[in-house]
Amino acid sequence: MERTIVLVKPDGVQRGLIGEIIHRFERKGMKLVGLKMISLDDAILDEWYIHHKDKAFFGNLKEYMMSYPVVAMLWEGKNVVVTIRKIIGITLARQAEPGTIRGDFAMSQQYNLIHASESLEIAKKEEKLIFSDSEIFDWDKLDHSHVYTKEELG
Ligand code: CMP
């Protein structure tokens, strides 16, 4: 099973959408294996957004991500990287598809509520930046046999 990182960004925390966001992934059948509130700092964000460091919006992005705490989650499931990216919708939230999180709750390109890892490789890197081993829980989700077939569970 894959694991991926989700952050409820400062605007999502301020707007009271933490529960709504968790609810969407839970209802889908994904397994939550890590959860915490954290204040991001300069060092984490320089590494996190290394691919945006030359963009004009980089300074604003970092300031915004440090403005209030974020809620970090680690979700597990089959192909969760791609599936979660679909559920959150595109970056430019006002054009995101209705039914996606950004499509239903946001209007901005920067204040787009939520982050989800872009690829499995990036998910592994982000997991290490946020969670220590003792903060990740390998528990048995008893409804898995109703969420996946035996073949899918392997
Ligand atoms: P996300 O795609 O999760 O990761 C990069 C973030 O940078 C993005 O969400 C937005 O919050 C922000 N971002 C991307 N493009 C812009 C932009 N043109 N102006 C301001 N912020 C942006």
Side-chain angles (χ1 to χ4, degrees):
M1 295 269 177
E2 285 181 10
R3 292 202 300 232
T4 194
I5 289 283
V6 167
L7 299 180
V8 182
K9 294 178 175 179
D11 52 317
V13 172
Q14 283 290 358
R15 293 186 51 205
L17 291 169
I18 301 165
E20 171 72 37
I21 288 170
I22 292 177
H23 191 39
R24 292 205 173 201
F25 300 132
E26 268 191 318
R27 281 187 308 186
K28 179 76 174 156
M30 292 167 178
K31 178 174 154 187
L32 186 62
V33 295
L35 174 70
K36 68 177 179 183
M37 184 171 262
I38 177 173
S39 289
L40 298 175
D41 61 22
D42 241 5
I44 292 183
L45 288 167
D46 280 344
E47 192 57 39
W48 197 275
Y49 287 127
I50 197 158
H51 50 299
H52 289 312
K53 75 174 183 354
D54 297 324
K55 308 257 172 69
F57 60 81
F58 184 60
N60 282 345
L61 173 61
K62 273 178 57 179
E63 199 179 314
Y64 148 61
M65 292 298 286
M66 289 191 286
S67 61
Y68 294 99
V70 301
V71 171
M73 305 167 202
L74 186 60
W75 287 95
E76 188 179 283
K78 273 197 109 59
N79 307 128
V80 277
V81 172
V82 167
T83 306
I84 283 190
R85 297 277 293 185
K86 282 192 177 159
I87 292 171
I88 75 173
I90 62 168
T91 303
L92 179 55
R94 59 185 164 272
Q95 286 175 16
E97 285 291 309
T100 63
I101 292 169
R102 287 168 172 165
D104 287 351
F105 299 109
M107 288 293 284
S108 168
Q109 186 157 24
Q110 178 164 296
Y111 299 156
N112 59 9
L113 302 174
I114 183 166
H115 163 90
S117 313
E118 265 176 64
S119 65
L120 194 52
E121 192 190 348
I122 291 180
K124 285 179 184 157
K125 174 185 148 183
E126 292 178 349
E127 179 180 315
K128 289 209 162 25
L129 284 171
I130 298 270
F131 289 101
S132 62
D133 287 349
S134 64
E135 292 171 328
I136 299 173
F137 298 85
D138 185 20
W139 55 287
D140 276 339
K141 193 163 188 301
L142 300 179
D143 72 357
H144 256 174
S145 57
H146 299 279
V147 173
Y148 299 105
T149 64
K150 277 199 188 78
E151 292 73 26
E152 286 169 326
L153 286 172

